[in-house]
Amino acid sequence: MGIFAKAGLKWLLSSLVFSQAQAFYIPGWSVKSYKDNEQIPLLVNKVYSDNTQLQYAYYDLPFVCPPTGKHSAGGLLSGQSISLNLGEVLRGDRIITSDIDLTVGQDSECNFLCNQEISRKDLKKAKELVKDGYVVEWIVDNLPGATSFVTVDKTKKYYAAGFKLGYVDYTSSKPRYYLNNHHTIVIRWRKAPGRDGDRGGKVVVGFEVYTKSIGDGDKREDGCPADLHNIDEHFELYITPNKTTNFAQQYPDSSYYPEDEEADDDATLSIPYTYSVYWREDDSVEWNRRWDLYFVNQEEGSKIHWLAIVNSLIICGLLTGVVLMILAKTIRTDIKGYKEALAEDGKLRVKRGRKTGLLSPRLEKGTGLGLLDPEGKMEMEDDLSSEDEGLEDVTGWKLLHADVFRKPAYGYILAPLVGSGMQLLFMAIGLVLLSAFGILNPSFRGGFISSGVGLFVFAGLFSGYFSARVYKSFDGQHFGKNSLITAMLFPGLLFGLIFVLNLFVWAQASSTAIPFGTLVAILLLWLCIQVPLVYVGSWYGYVKAGAWEHPTKTSAIPRQIPQQAWYIKSLQAILLSGLIPFAVIFIELLFVFQSMWQDKSGYYYVFGFLAVVVVILVLTIAEVTVVTVYVQLCSENYHWWWQSFMVGGGSAVWIFLYCVWYYFAKLHISGFVSSMLFFTYSFMGCCVYGLLTGTVGFLTAYAFVRRIYG
């Protein structure tokens, strides 16, 4: 175990350093040029599908040509694995150098790659992947191989990353499966900018792959088809059954026999693989704009994003008006009258209404309740019939000044949740800003996840600090125990879910499964770095900063809470108030879901729009929480601590329901493991969102309550 831990820690540190070095790969800054006759490595990565969540490493497929280890390009031998950062490993990337020869400036009409022999079992696997619509990802000069399309009006070309593994023909009585075994590679280049271009340097601005399915027709001596342009027969994934069996009698007039796995266990199918390479100059695309072609329908998408922002601004503006009305009119008038009643002619009058059940003698001469004699003793009159004379009835939120800061039940759980929420808030702000500034972009493969993990671990300081301050404000006595709960509760939940999911994905031999070494490295990252950071932040927050000072004292006996209206009760308030933030983000959420689940070959790129929507979302959650807490306090209910946190995160419930609807209405996911991955990842994402927004609601509510009772 010590060897695993040492190796895992070494890998972790090296991957983090590598990811930070790669983090500053910004389009337009890191130009790589090539000379004529220079060999460029073609890297193969994985296959993936929009219909399933299981990915597979390309060279793990039994029906593709394995690397020979003899071809060399760019200092890399074929079959050599490329070092990956943490984000790439977690997203299922497995990048290896291929045998395909790409020599700058040299076209090749046809090159023979290999004849791959496969068994019936391998054939069945190939059919399953073709049926599920799997797409292949190859990489040249950090660009994924793309399928080229044109818009409906034929005025603009755009790319869809990846290319089809094969296709299915449903025109016959039974579906027939065809494999794309010839790849036409088109590398688009232009003159390199600056002095490098004057010396003959070229830069890659496009990588297109066109596929064909070519059957066993006329072959040349080198194994290539005799005519690539006129293909009469396509390559079908089919092994002819042994005709000595009774199948020939059962199907005498059919050329398509059913498969008999038991009769022909030793039968094999030979798959010939060939490829073509063409270099084409293209001055229409700048090197720093070459990724724009992968962003489908940008203009139309921008209009929808603007619509989402306008929708969010309208909702947020209405809420802002309601909050301003509460603060500027209702509360201000109440506070002014309350203070004027308590302080008259510079002398303090302590008073309570009938609802409090307490007698408070007024220390003012001439009243009927009590008089001070010359010796300073108080004399009480026998007649108290005029008790209510001159006393104003205090109602609503003003009655709760002795109970509003009473510590909540299970505060030792609420404090760690608030701490974890601050940790996630710091991580989310960092990711959105880095992405909006272009530091995290599609060319930095795995950068978003790597940076997210790094920010989350570092934000353990903020998690411990805020958790400790909230915990001490709840009169907590054991900050060490609180720091341990903070460091283990939410990260432990995530790690446990990921570990259980990994067991199922491992069983599928998918590259989506996290390798054991990476799991050990993540565990070390959590226990050896984040936990100490949380402890340091907790110590500073508990010992140095201390508890938040409440503006009012808490009485020993809690007051009785009257019957609450139906819309103030916990569950109803959470659902109703959570619907408003969900209405702010649901349009932008559609784009995020489409990038994550539906169009895996696409890239989410509009982080500028997302940053604006996030700001509006935070303001909306803050305002919704203020309104909800104020209504609750006006109903003389002082249990607002947990309520503010749950109301702030209430939209997470609607987002999860939206995930369920999206699964059944938009996706075509098949298989138990893929469905389990979808719902578990959705649940984890909603937990992250709920903690983050719940913390925003909690802190906003606390600031609001301090303001009105201060």
Side-chain angles (χ1 to χ4, degrees):
M1 184 64 187
I3 297 176
F4 277 116
K6 185 176 179 180
L9 184 59
K10 181 179 178 181
W11 174 88
L12 175 65
L13 293 176
S14 62
S15 66
L16 287 177
V17 171
F18 177 77
S19 66
Q20 292 304 315
Q22 292 291 321
F24 295 96
Y25 177 83
I26 302 176
W29 289 17
S30 307
V31 181
K32 184 173 179 58
S33 62
Y34 302 94
K35 303 291 185 181
D36 283 336
N37 299 320
E38 181 179 353
Q39 289 186 322
I40 303 178
L42 187 147
L43 309 177
V44 300
N45 188 3
K46 61 188 178 183
V47 296
Y48 54 87
S49 171
D50 297 338
N51 298 321
T52 176
Q53 304 307 313
L54 297 175
Q55 307 173 78
Y56 298 95
Y58 183 76
Y59 276 146
D60 286 346
L61 302 179
F63 52 87
V64 302
C65 292
T68 61
K70 299 178 181 179
H71 178 72
S72 177
L76 299 172
L77 285 175
S78 61
Q80 181 176 343
S81 297
I82 306 299
S83 298
L84 304 177
N85 59 45
L86 181 60
E88 288 175 305
V89 176
L90 294 180
R91 69 194 290 265
D93 289 349
R94 305 292 185 266
I95 303 177
I96 299 176
T97 310
S98 74
D99 282 310
I100 295 178
D101 182 22
L102 297 181
T103 303
V104 177
Q106 294 186 8
D107 292 349
S108 176
E109 184 179 4
C110 183
N111 288 296
F112 179 75
L113 197 59
C114 80
N115 269 319
Q116 182 66 9
E117 297 284 337
I118 63 171
S119 64
R120 283 195 181 276
K121 181 180 178 181
D122 300 334
L123 180 68
K124 182 179 179 182
K125 181 68 175 179
K127 285 184 176 181
E128 290 176 354
L129 297 185
V130 170
K131 181 181 179 181
D132 287 334
Y134 270 81
V135 171
V136 183
E137 181 179 339
W138 288 355
I139 303 169
V140 170
D141 193 43
N142 205 36
L143 281 177
T147 303
S148 178
F149 297 95
V150 293
T151 54
V152 177
D153 56 4
K154 298 182 180 181
T155 59
K156 185 182 296 185
K157 181 174 75 171
Y158 65 90
Y159 287 160
F163 54 90
K164 287 289 186 179
L165 189 64
Y167 63 94
V168 185
D169 181 11
Y170 292 101
T171 57
S172 59
S173 58
K174 293 184 66 175
R176 308 180 74 164
Y177 303 90
Y178 295 91
L179 183 71
N180 293 323
N181 58 340
H182 179 84
H183 303 93
T184 300
I185 300 169
V186 179
I187 306 294
R188 300 196 176 274
W189 61 273
R190 64 174 296 154
K191 180 181 176 182
R195 295 180 180 178
D196 198 17
D198 297 334
R199 293 192 291 264
K202 299 177 180 179
V203 293
V204 177
V205 295
F207 173 28
E208 303 170 4
V209 181
Y210 301 91
T211 59
K212 286 184 179 181
S213 178
I214 302 177
D216 292 326
D218 294 335
K219 300 286 185 179
R220 300 189 321 212
E221 292 182 0
D222 59 0
C224 287
D227 187 358
L228 278 173
H229 304 288
N230 299 309
I231 305 299
D232 297 327
E233 182 182 357
H234 302 292
F235 189 86
E236 184 178 0
L237 291 170
Y238 175 69
I239 298 178
T240 304
N242 187 349
K243 296 187 179 182
T244 60
T245 64
N246 61 352
F247 290 115
Q249 287 77 28
Q250 294 181 21
Y251 303 93
D253 299 326
S254 175
S255 62
Y256 189 82
Y257 293 91
E259 296 178 11
D260 183 8
E261 298 182 6
E262 295 183 359
D264 283 338
D265 284 343
D266 296 332
T268 61
L269 177 67
S270 179
I271 306 177
Y273 281 95
T274 54
Y275 67 94
S276 305
V277 179
Y278 297 97
W279 294 82
R280 295 292 180 264
E281 185 174 6
D282 189 348
D283 292 330
S284 63
V285 181
E286 296 288 342
W287 188 89
N288 59 350
R289 306 290 298 180
R290 61 181 186 165
W291 277 90
D292 291 355
L293 293 173
Y294 292 87
F295 304 145
V296 181
N297 297 328
Q298 296 183 47
E299 294 180 359
E300 181 181 351
S302 297
K303 294 177 182 178
I304 300 177
H305 288 296
W306 280 114
L307 176 63
I309 290 178
V310 171
N311 168 73
S312 303
L313 286 174
I314 292 174
I315 297 174
C316 186
L318 293 175
L319 277 174
T320 302
V322 174
V323 172
L324 290 177
M325 182 181 66
I326 292 174
L327 292 176
K329 184 178 179 181
T330 307
I331 294 180
R332 187 175 180 181
T333 303
D334 288 348
I335 292 176
K336 182 178 179 182
Y338 188 42
K339 290 182 177 180
E340 287 178 353
L342 291 177
E344 183 178 322
D345 298 329
K347 299 177 182 180
L348 184 64
R349 298 190 301 166
V350 183
K351 60 179 185 173
R352 297 291 298 269
R354 289 188 178 188
K355 292 185 179 181
T356 63
L358 298 175
L359 268 179
S360 300
R362 288 187 286 178
L363 306 179
E364 185 177 343
K365 292 184 179 181
T367 64
L369 290 179
L371 297 172
L372 289 175
D373 63 8
E375 296 180 1
K377 298 178 181 180
M378 180 176 289
E379 298 179 359
M380 300 297 297
E381 293 185 358
D382 293 332
D383 185 11
L384 297 180
S385 61
S386 60
E387 175 184 348
D388 294 332
E389 253 181 64
L391 288 178
E392 297 181 11
D393 189 23
V394 181
T395 60
W397 62 269
K398 299 182 289 295
L399 291 173
L400 303 180
H401 65 88
D403 295 278
V404 71
F405 292 106
R406 189 178 300 281
K407 64 180 181 180
Y410 306 105
Y412 60 89
I413 298 296
L414 180 58
L417 292 180
V418 172
S420 296
M422 286 303 300
Q423 186 177 11
L424 293 169
L425 184 62
F426 177 85
M427 179 194 74
I429 292 174
L431 287 176
V432 172
L433 289 178
L434 290 174
S435 301
F437 289 136
I439 297 176
L440 300 180
N441 55 76
S443 61
F444 178 21
R445 187 175 290 101
F448 192 86
I449 299 177
S450 297
S451 301
V453 172
L455 289 171
F456 182 80
V457 171
F458 174 74
L461 287 170
F462 299 94
S463 174
Y465 174 81
F466 281 92
S467 175
R469 294 205 68 179
V470 174
Y471 178 72
K472 194 168 186 179
S473 300
F474 294 160
D475 300 328
Q477 302 298 321
H478 308 287
F479 94 92
K481 180 180 178 181
N482 175 72
S483 65
L484 184 62
I485 294 175
T486 304
M488 304 296 289
L489 182 61
F490 178 68
L493 172 65
L494 292 184
F495 186 84
L497 289 174
I498 290 174
F499 182 79
V500 172
L501 281 179
N502 230 36
L503 297 178
F504 288 91
V505 181
W506 266 335
Q508 301 292 322
S510 169
S511 65
T512 308
I514 303 174
F516 179 75
T518 305
L519 278 178
V520 173
I522 293 174
L523 192 63
L524 293 174
L525 189 67
W526 171 27
L527 299 179
C528 299
I529 299 180
Q530 189 208 353
V531 172
L533 288 176
V534 172
Y535 184 86
V536 171
S538 296
W539 176 84
Y540 188 85
Y542 191 91
V543 177
K544 295 294 184 180
W548 285 318
E549 294 293 333
H550 303 318
T552 63
K553 299 292 183 180
T554 302
S555 63
I557 302 175
R559 60 183 286 111
Q560 186 176 359
I561 299 176
Q563 182 68 27
Q564 302 292 293
W566 69 270
Y567 54 85
I568 301 177
K569 294 180 181 179
S570 181
L571 182 60
Q572 290 88 325
I574 293 170
L575 293 177
L576 290 175
S577 57
L579 190 58
I580 300 175
F582 174 74
V584 169
I585 64 170
F586 84 97
I587 297 179
E588 194 65 32
L589 202 63
L590 185 64
F591 286 91
V592 176
F593 275 32
Q594 189 173 356
S595 292
M596 289 178 59
W597 304 116
Q598 200 167 4
D599 294 332
K600 299 185 184 68
S601 60
Y603 299 92
Y604 185 84
Y605 64 98
V606 285
F607 285 97
F609 287 106
L610 183 64
V612 175
V613 173
V614 167
V615 171
I616 298 174
L617 173 66
V618 170
L619 291 176
T620 303
I621 290 172
E623 293 168 350
V624 167
T625 308
V626 165
V627 173
T628 305
V629 169
Y630 175 71
V631 172
Q632 181 179 351
L633 294 177
C634 287
S635 300
E636 302 179 24
N637 184 350
Y638 53 84
H639 294 310
W640 62 272
W641 297 98
W642 274 105
Q643 185 77 348
S644 64
F645 185 85
M646 301 300 290
V647 164
S651 52
V653 178
W654 292 101
I655 292 179
F656 187 78
L657 294 176
Y658 184 78
C659 291
V660 176
W661 171 83
Y662 196 86
Y663 174 84
F664 289 103
K666 297 290 185 179
L667 301 181
H668 304 285
I669 294 178
S670 59
F672 170 76
V673 176
S674 294
S675 299
M676 184 176 62
L677 285 171
F678 174 83
F679 284 108
T680 305
Y681 285 146
S682 298
F683 174 75
M684 291 165 59
C686 290
C687 286
V688 169
Y689 173 87
L691 278 177
L692 193 154
T693 54
T695 300
V696 171
F698 175 86
L699 296 177
T700 304
Y702 181 71
F704 170 73
V705 173
R706 280 180 61 92
R707 174 68 181 88
I708 66 174
Y709 286 97

